[in-house]
Amino acid sequence: MSKEVFEDIYLEPLGEAEFVSLIPKLGFKVIKSGETLKSPPNLAANKVEIALRLNVVKNGYVALPLQAEGYDLDDAIKKFEGEKLLCPVGEALKVRKSYFDIDKVPLFQEFANLKTEDEIVEFANKYGTLQGKTSILVSLSTKSGVVYLESVSDWACEINLVRGALKLIEIYGNSSWGSDLKVIEVGKGGGLYNIEGTSFCVEGPPPKTGVDEGVFRLLLVRFFNGQLREHQSYPGYGFDSTGHFTSAIYPTNLASVIWLQLAQSFFGDAPNERMAKRCVRCGQWGKKDDMRKRRKGEYRGKYYHKRCYESFKKQNQRERKAEQEGRPLKKRRRKQFLIDSF
């Protein structure tokens, strides 16, 4: 009697190298809350819905920020007057995007580095809106409509939130939670913590005798779980190029893409397709496969960019030369990662 050997076949870890974005063909333009649009953006609905609404709406669509939903129209126009909105222009296109740009910068780091309104618009033109939605209301009595769009301030808040997350990760890597984090409020169910020198606050467990490693680790877990619940992803299955089954986590919008990659990179469970590591020298994150890892010394186990290693060698050469010539060397200051720059 022959004996058959069965081999278990397991799916690869959840992950894909790309995600799908919904991007307007002509990009985004900045308009002000309260402006009237002749027709709704194509990202807001399909072509059939738009055609039906155009037959009903004769007086245009008032543009308002997403947070104005639920407000009385007149109250919303007054409350959010002048707020800048990102208005999509042109046909909506589904485009596959990489988790890293051409310079191997991860999406969340590229997002965190945005500093100006123009940079936000450029990023949106490349990747789409954060929430991936635009709501429309139509009034049959007034034959007018309202379109709710993402605001520039929405983006600024999310950028600072991601920057805060990166700062928390930096604090964890430096084991400096005792000095960089202070307790500003304590309740029965938890505490409120502030990163020194910033206005960034984060909720966490109640401290017993100050901020220790256990408290900080639990704070990190709660913080990231909260972001992942707000910007959800879902598991799914498909086929690869060879016809084998694959499993993946699919983000629901751009914000969930950003938070998923950041969380998985920090906790170490990201697949190689989207795994990023923080450079111990410059503080910026890069693609893990494109970075080097220290094997010995003070920074053993830490990652660094190849370009940072080259600059480090040049700096050492300058220092040795200055020492040989008996002259002082003015050290260059590293760029600091800033929160609250908006």
Side-chain angles (χ1 to χ4, degrees):
M1 185 175 179
S2 64
K3 182 179 179 181
E4 292 187 57
V5 178
F6 293 93
E7 180 182 355
D8 288 333
I9 299 177
Y10 297 96
L11 299 182
E12 291 295 319
L14 296 172
E16 281 198 343
E18 297 178 327
F19 60 94
V20 177
S21 282
L22 196 61
I23 301 173
K25 187 174 183 179
L26 301 179
F28 290 83
K29 65 178 180 179
V30 177
I31 64 174
K32 290 188 177 181
S33 178
E35 284 190 28
T36 300
L37 306 176
K38 291 182 179 180
S39 61
N42 284 347
L43 288 185
N46 62 42
K47 294 180 180 180
V48 175
E49 290 176 320
I50 290 175
L52 291 173
R53 284 169 174 164
L54 286 175
N55 289 331
V56 173
V57 177
K58 305 297 182 183
N59 299 321
Y61 296 79
V62 178
L64 292 172
L66 285 174
Q67 61 264 40
E69 286 191 82
Y71 281 80
D72 175 78
L73 179 57
D74 291 335
D75 292 341
I77 291 175
K78 291 179 182 178
K79 181 176 178 63
F80 299 100
E81 182 181 5
E83 187 158 342
K84 294 181 178 180
L85 310 176
L86 293 177
C87 181
V89 182
E91 181 184 357
L93 304 174
K94 282 188 176 181
V95 182
R96 296 192 69 84
K97 291 290 184 178
S98 171
Y99 280 86
F100 298 90
D101 70 5
I102 193 171
D103 296 318
K104 309 299 183 183
V105 177
L107 185 69
F108 64 81
Q109 183 69 78
E110 189 180 354
F111 181 71
N113 289 344
L114 300 177
K115 298 181 180 66
T116 66
E117 180 183 303
D118 289 342
E119 289 178 355
I120 287 176
V121 173
E122 184 179 352
F123 188 90
N125 289 341
K126 186 177 178 182
Y127 296 110
T129 61
L130 287 175
Q131 305 301 328
K133 68 175 184 178
T134 303
S135 301
I136 292 179
L137 290 179
V138 173
S139 172
L140 297 178
S141 59
T142 62
K143 293 187 177 182
S144 61
V146 181
V147 57
Y148 297 98
L149 304 170
E150 288 183 6
S151 66
V152 173
S153 62
D154 289 336
W155 278 65
C157 288
E158 200 68 31
I159 289 167
N160 271 326
L161 199 56
V162 172
R163 289 176 180 173
L166 293 176
K167 186 63 180 179
L168 289 173
I169 292 173
E170 180 185 336
I171 291 172
Y172 182 73
N174 295 334
S175 301
S176 58
W177 44 78
S179 58
D180 287 339
L181 210 66
K182 66 177 181 180
V183 183
I184 58 175
E185 186 178 311
V186 179
K188 291 183 179 180
L192 187 64
Y193 301 82
N194 168 251
I195 296 178
E196 285 283 2
T198 76
S199 64
F200 185 82
C201 294
V202 58
E203 294 180 350
K208 296 179 180 179
T209 55
V211 183
D212 58 20
E213 183 176 0
V215 168
F216 191 68
R217 287 165 68 93
L218 185 53
L219 179 150
L220 284 170
V221 168
R222 288 187 179 182
F223 173 78
F224 276 102
N225 283 345
Q227 300 309 315
L228 294 174
R229 278 193 294 268
E230 183 174 351
H231 307 293
Q232 294 186 358
S233 301
Y234 64 92
Y237 299 91
F239 298 93
D240 62 17
S241 58
T242 63
H244 290 97
F245 288 116
T246 60
S247 64
I249 293 179
Y250 297 98
T252 55
N253 53 42
L254 180 59
S256 64
V257 171
I258 291 169
W259 283 105
L260 177 65
Q261 186 189 27
L262 175 52
Q264 287 194 318
S265 293
F266 169 59
F267 288 104
D269 62 339
N272 284 334
E273 291 87 353
R274 58 170 172 259
M275 174 67 85
K277 288 293 183 180
R278 183 176 183 271
C279 176
V280 68
R281 181 159 177 80
C282 72
Q284 294 282 300
W285 291 64
K287 189 173 184 179
K288 177 186 174 182
D289 289 346
D290 200 55
M291 299 175 75
R292 291 180 178 177
K293 185 178 181 180
R294 289 289 294 173
R295 301 296 179 185
K296 59 182 180 179
E298 179 184 358
Y299 298 108
R300 183 174 180 270
K302 303 289 186 180
Y303 287 80
Y304 57 92
H305 293 109
K306 296 174 186 177
R307 64 179 182 272
C308 289
Y309 180 67
E310 293 302 321
S311 68
F312 175 70
K313 288 197 299 184
K314 290 179 181 179
Q315 179 182 328
N316 282 344
Q317 291 171 358
R318 288 194 300 268
E319 290 176 354
R320 285 196 298 269
K321 185 177 180 181
E323 185 178 354
Q324 291 170 359
E325 296 174 354
R327 59 180 175 82
L329 178 68
K330 185 178 180 181
K331 292 187 177 181
R332 299 176 182 177
R333 294 183 62 186
R334 292 185 188 178
K335 290 183 179 179
Q336 296 296 311
F337 181 79
L338 300 177
I339 306 174
D340 305 324
S341 64
F342 276 94

